[in-house]
Structure formats: C-alpha cells, structure tokens
Amino acid sequence: MSLITAARKQRSVPPWRPGPYDWPVTATDSVSLLRGAVEGAARALRDGEPTAPRPTLERPPKPELGDYSSNAAMLLAGTLGDNPRAVAERLRGELEGDSTLAPDLERIEVAGPGFVNFFLADSWYLRALEALLGAGDDLGPAPTETPEKVLVEFVSANPTGPIHVGTARNAAFGDSLVRLLQATGNEVEREYYVNDAGSQITRFADSIAARMRGEEPPEDGYAGAYVSEVAERLAADGVDPGDRETLELRGIELMLEEIRQTLERFGVHFDNWFSERSVYAKGEVDEALAELEKRGHTYRHEDALWLRTTDFGDDKDRVLIRSNGEATYLTPDIAYHWDKLQRGFERLINVLGADHHGYVARVRAAIEALGADPTRFEALLTSLVHVVEGGERVQMSKRTGDFVTLDELMDDIGVDATRWFMLWRSQETTVDLDLQLARSQSSENPVYYVQYAHARIASILRKAGEGAEPAVAPGRSPLEESEKVLVKRLLEFPEEVRTAAARRAPHRICAYSTAVAADFHAFYRDCQVVGAEGEGVEASRLALCLATKRTIAAALGLLGISAPERM
C-alpha cells in the first residue's frame, strides 16, 4: 500500500490538515500526507487524542539531517510525562511499525533534543512526482473550507493626474493579492474608489481653466504637462474655461480614461469603479449619518457634527460636518464603507499608501460605530517606491509634474519587470527600483532569472520531441540529490500559496519562484535530461521538467507576470 493510501487510511480522528485554515488534503499535497502520518503516530501515543499545537514537518537545514523533520516528540513530552528523546524513540517505533509507511522510508533517526528526522526512499519522491504530473496545471492549493466574500479596494488615486510609480506598487500588490485570495477559494472583487469630489477636484479644474486661458495654474494647483494636454482637448471640444462643472466632469473623465488604459496595460482590471459623488447622489451619506445617530455615536459641538471615535480606540473624536455645513473627507469614506457592508462583503481590504496610518483607526472606528465587526476591515499600507537611475533617486510630485509615470516605467523596463520589482519585497518595505538592474538580461535580474528557467524548460521539452513522453517510472532508481531537492521544492507550492494569501504577502511568491528556478538550474547542471541513460530516467526527468515548468508558470501567474516559452 502506498504512502498516499496510508495517509488516507481511516483513523479514530480525521487526518491533520495544514493551517492557518483547514484546507482539504489533495493528491498533489504529498508533504501534508506525510504530515498526516506523523499526526497519526502522535495520536496513537495519546490514545487518539489530538496534539496541540499540531506537530510541524519541515525541511532540516542540512541534508544529512534527513528529508523532513518533526518536533512532535517535544510537543508530546509534557503530556506523556517523559523526556523528548524517549518520546521520539516511541514515535519512531510507531512509524516504523506501520507497514503501509515502511516502503516509502529508508530510515527514521532521532536527533538533538528530540527531533524525528525522516529519510525518504526514492519511491516516495517518484510517487510525489507522479501526483504532480497527474495534477496537470492544477498545482495550487485546494480551496479553503471557509471561503469569504472579499472586496479589495486598491489604487484609488485621485483622478487629477496619471498613474505614477508610487501608485503602481499599490496596483501590483492589490492585483496579486486578489489572485492569491481567489486561488485559495475566496470570492473576490477588485474595486477602484474614484475620488471625484472634494477640494482636489476643484484645484484640478482651476488648473485646467488657467491653462485654457494661457495662464499658470494656481499655486496649490496642478502644474504637470498633462494638465495642458487636457486643457487643449477640452478647448478643442469647445468647453468654456468658465464652466467649472463641465471642466470637473470632463477633466475627470479624460484622466480616468488614461488611468484605465494604463492599468489594463499593467494587467490590472477592476470589477467596479465606485464614484465618491455617487454616495451623495444615492443618499448614502445621509443614511450612514442617520445610522450613526441612531446608534448614539454622534453629537453636536460648536455647530459641528462629531463622531465619537474615541469610544472605539481612536485618539480623538472626528468632525463629520463642519460648522459651515461642509462634510469632511471622512464623511463620504464612512458612507462608502457603509455601502460595502450593505453589499454583503464579509471582508473589506483596503490597500493604502504609507501616509494613511491615522486614517485606518478612524475607518475602523466608524465601521464599529455602524454596528459591524471592525475585524472585517483590513488596511494594508504600502511603503514608498524610489526609482533609481545612475545611483540617483528620481523625485516625484503630481502637482509639479516632476514624476515618473507608470507608462514611462513600462516603456523602459517592460510590464513583467515593473510588476516584479513592485512585488519582490514586503509591501511594508521601501523599494529602490534600480533601472539598470531591471533592464539587464542576466541572472542578476531576478525576474529574468525565473522567466529564463521557464523558457529553458520549454526548450528542453521541444528538443525531446513528440516521441519522448514525460512519465514516472515507478521502479526507477537511484535519484540524484538535485532531483530530490527540486521535487521537495515543487511540493512546497500549495503551502506557499496558502501562506502568502493568509499573510497578505505576494512577495513570498517572488522568493519561492526564485528558489524553484535556482533548484531547477542546479538539477539541469547535475542531471542529463534528453538522452539520459537508464530505463525510465529520461522520461521521469522530463516529467520533473514539465512539473517545474507548470509550477513556475502558476507562480508567475499569481504575480501577474508572463511565463515565456522562448527568450
């Protein structure tokens, strides 16, 4: 009986499943199946009772320590009243005594303070590779058992100028996060909140009007060359520079048209474009204020309407309606999140710039004041991006026009490199985007390095020809160490996706993709593929190449990056 069959064997309790959610085990998730065997042995020592926390199963830091290692004995020692090494020996006995597990093991060793180290037989690797090959392109994780309806709002830049590189980071991060959440079974929508009301729109219209009259924009206006282009188009359409309402509406329309085109080119498509003006037009501002008043969270002071956000952890109460009757910027934002809640989204994720720290507490307080669970709201703050050219940082300002647009950056280094360098570091870390590195076609450029691995595999498969069928020969042995290392890396993909989604960390997929590429290059250096001698050797190595190619393509797809067949 195979290890897969053994792990699925009925026990007194269901098999262990990896966190942070309880994902179902799939046929390709061979590591989880092995982890299930460890869990079963641990429960056997506890008469069927589960172990909390659940034992880990990790790759040890050195190959001589085995293929996988578990801390199960150290977790059980206190409960069983024995020292960890003695418990580890008992666990080894349980595992070695399982006839269904034995064929897939070379040996089990107890090491250090009580680690149980597994040395797996070639048959385990071949069975794992066979499962990977049989999965086809479906290499991602099984859907979560607790999917959520999620709204991810990101970019949401004021429609007063083109998308620049700072905003581009939000675009890449938000889009990749949506892909990860969808891969783990959630129902997700992308939304762009169009800030088409407020003082910034007034200043934008004033700037357009000034350019139409041949004048300089106001001191607090927008001076970029793009304002002149908008002014020229509106003048050509016969718009009167004194018609401020038309200037606002048409100016917003033209900028949104450019923003949409840029984002689509960047591989970012939004399901919804939500207008700030609409919350006023639909009466949602009044509805949200009425709800807050009904719940007793607003009060009047000095002719202004205040929200008692200090009741919900904010450092001070916030004004909603000024004494002159004007709404503060927070008021339509509250109405907007009220609208999100009314649409039935179970989780609200906002991707915001690094300057929004104070804003987060206010919105969370408002959501709680509206009677909703504030933990349903997540604010993910992205740090700055600095474009570096010749060792110098390029300064950016939308108002002066001294900035690098996303279109300019894509023209220079391409869409794939732009997305990679926006994603390869945690969103909380400031990024220096080195144009020289991003342009280079060498192994020093990480996105080129990963894409080249995919293209090289495609070349190998073409060279093998139609007559060479990737297949796993069950009796083929021995495997080279670099083959085993690559198989283990491929088996990590489902858990990497789950972790990246749960931690809101697309950069983990960049790191994983690079590791897969490195392990593949080492395998290709050590192992002949096409024309390899030995029964089933070429076919199984082609199978490993194909599984690697699919994994790289799937990982790059989660980042919104292409997987080229030729380079």
Side-chain angles (χ1 to χ4, degrees):
M1 188 180 295
S2 72
L3 176 61
I4 293 176
T5 305
R8 288 176 174 170
K9 186 179 179 182
Q10 290 292 320
R11 300 181 186 271
S12 59
V13 288
W16 187 89
R17 291 173 176 177
Y21 305 103
D22 284 337
W23 283 284
V25 172
T26 63
T28 60
D29 217 347
S30 299
V31 176
S32 291
L33 296 172
L34 179 59
R35 190 183 281 116
V38 174
E39 175 72 6
R43 286 178 173 177
L45 296 186
R46 297 197 63 203
D47 297 325
E49 290 294 322
T51 301
R54 287 165 171 171
T56 62
L57 187 71
E58 299 176 346
R59 291 173 63 177
K62 298 178 181 179
E64 57 266 28
L65 296 177
D67 296 295
Y68 292 96
S69 180
S70 177
N71 67 347
M74 287 174 277
L75 296 178
L76 289 168
T79 303
L80 298 178
D82 207 345
N83 69 75
R85 283 191 66 92
V87 175
E89 292 290 351
R90 292 170 63 187
L91 278 173
R92 180 168 68 172
E94 282 286 335
L95 292 162
E96 290 177 341
D98 187 343
S99 61
T100 60
L101 184 59
D104 290 310
L105 287 173
E106 282 189 354
R107 66 186 186 278
I108 299 175
E109 293 182 354
V110 174
F115 288 105
V116 178
N117 294 342
F118 293 83
F119 294 79
L120 298 170
D122 287 352
S123 60
W124 184 89
Y125 285 96
L126 292 171
R127 226 183 303 277
L129 177 57
E130 186 175 24
L132 287 169
L133 190 66
D137 294 326
D138 186 20
L139 295 171
T144 174
E145 292 182 350
T146 55
E148 294 181 308
K149 185 178 180 182
V150 185
L151 182 66
V152 181
E153 183 219 327
F154 60 108
V155 183
S156 298
N158 291 340
T160 55
I163 297 291
H164 58 70
V165 296
T167 308
R169 188 176 193 186
N170 283 18
F173 176 80
D175 182 64
S176 184
L177 177 60
V178 169
R179 293 167 188 252
L180 286 165
L181 292 170
Q182 289 174 330
T184 48
N186 297 284
E187 179 187 345
V188 192
E189 291 185 23
R190 301 169 170 87
E191 187 155 286
Y192 189 117
Y193 182 55
V194 181
N195 295 276
D196 53 3
S199 59
Q200 79 279 0
I201 299 300
T202 301
R203 291 195 299 270
F204 185 47
D206 290 342
S207 302
I208 296 171
R211 289 301 190 193
M212 292 176 74
R213 293 192 297 265
E215 302 170 358
E216 289 296 314
E219 185 176 340
D220 62 348
Y222 296 85
Y226 66 92
V227 179
S228 298
E229 295 171 5
V230 171
E232 290 173 7
R233 290 187 61 177
L234 295 184
D237 291 342
V239 176
D240 185 343
D243 185 352
R244 293 309 172 86
E245 182 177 359
T246 300
L247 287 182
E248 287 186 6
L249 294 175
R250 290 284 288 127
I252 291 168
E253 180 183 335
L254 292 175
M255 289 314 309
L256 284 178
E257 178 184 316
E258 180 177 339
I259 288 170
R260 280 192 180 96
Q261 291 175 355
T262 298
L263 291 173
E264 289 286 349
R265 179 186 176 193
F266 197 43
V268 178
H269 171 77
F270 283 93
D271 301 297
N272 310 311
W273 293 75
F274 192 102
S275 165
E276 179 180 343
R277 293 185 179 217
S278 71
V279 298
Y280 289 99
K282 294 188 295 184
E284 290 184 316
V285 170
D286 293 335
E287 288 180 15
L289 293 177
E291 183 69 19
L292 292 171
E293 182 181 7
K294 183 179 74 173
R295 292 178 175 274
H297 300 308
T298 59
Y299 63 93
R300 292 276 177 183
H301 178 65
E302 295 182 349
D303 296 325
L305 181 66
W306 295 69
L307 177 61
R308 196 175 283 105
T309 54
T310 51
D311 287 349
F312 307 100
D314 199 5
D315 58 346
K316 62 180 180 180
D317 292 344
R318 305 292 171 174
V319 177
L320 297 176
I321 305 295
R322 298 185 179 94
S323 57
N324 62 4
E326 293 180 358
T328 63
Y329 77 92
L330 179 61
T331 303
D333 282 356
I334 294 174
Y336 173 44
H337 286 83
W338 168 253
D339 182 275
K340 291 180 181 182
L341 295 168
Q342 295 298 103
R343 281 184 275 162
F345 289 102
E346 297 166 287
R347 185 158 302 279
L348 313 179
I349 299 178
N350 290 13
V351 180
L352 304 168
D355 57 344
H356 282 71
H357 283 280
Y359 172 84
V360 173
R362 288 165 230 164
V363 173
R364 184 171 285 116
I367 288 174
E368 188 170 1
L370 287 167
D373 181 358
T375 63
R376 291 167 58 185
F377 173 72
E378 293 182 32
L380 306 175
L381 305 186
T382 60
S383 290
L384 299 176
V385 175
H386 299 293
V387 176
V388 178
E389 178 76 87
E392 298 290 330
R393 287 180 174 178
V394 178
Q395 299 301 313
M396 292 186 299
S397 168
K398 189 181 292 186
R399 290 189 181 177
T400 65
D402 180 19
F403 60 87
V404 178
T405 68
L406 175 55
D407 280 309
E408 289 171 331
L409 188 60
M410 290 189 288
D411 288 341
D412 189 344
I413 65 175
V415 173
D416 289 340
T418 301
R419 287 190 68 122
W420 179 279
F421 284 98
M422 295 293 176
L423 291 169
W424 73 324
R425 297 287 184 259
S426 166
Q427 90 278 3
E428 299 174 345
T429 304
T430 299
V431 167
D432 283 345
L433 199 164
D434 188 331
L435 293 177
Q436 185 176 355
L437 175 62
R439 293 181 189 122
S440 67
Q441 296 187 2
S442 71
S443 59
E444 298 300 314
N445 182 346
V447 66
Y448 180 87
Y449 181 73
V450 174
Q451 289 181 317
Y452 180 71
H454 185 274
R456 170 176 269 186
I457 297 171
S459 175
I460 293 169
L461 296 174
R462 287 193 299 269
K463 182 180 178 181
E466 294 182 3
E469 185 69 24
V472 180
R476 186 229 144 171
S477 194
L479 296 179
E480 296 292 334
E481 184 61 29
S482 58
E483 291 179 272
K484 296 180 181 180
V485 169
L486 183 53
V487 170
K488 282 189 284 191
R489 184 73 68 187
L490 300 183
L491 291 173
E492 292 173 357
F493 183 52
E495 186 65 15
E496 280 294 335
V497 176
R498 295 164 187 157
T499 302
R503 297 184 182 178
R504 317 310 193 213
H507 69 278
R508 292 183 63 97
I509 304 301
C510 291
Y512 174 75
S513 302
T514 305
V516 172
D519 288 341
F520 170 76
H521 289 309
F523 154 74
Y524 191 62
R525 177 198 64 211
D526 297 342
C527 301
Q528 182 178 356
V529 178
V530 179
E533 297 181 357
E535 184 178 354
V537 176
E538 177 185 290
S540 64
R541 287 179 178 170
L542 286 173
L544 182 52
C545 286
L546 181 55
T548 305
K549 180 174 181 284
R550 289 169 174 169
T551 302
I552 292 175
L556 290 176
L558 292 170
L559 302 172
I561 295 172
S562 67
E565 296 285 319
R566 289 178 168 85
M567 289 181 70

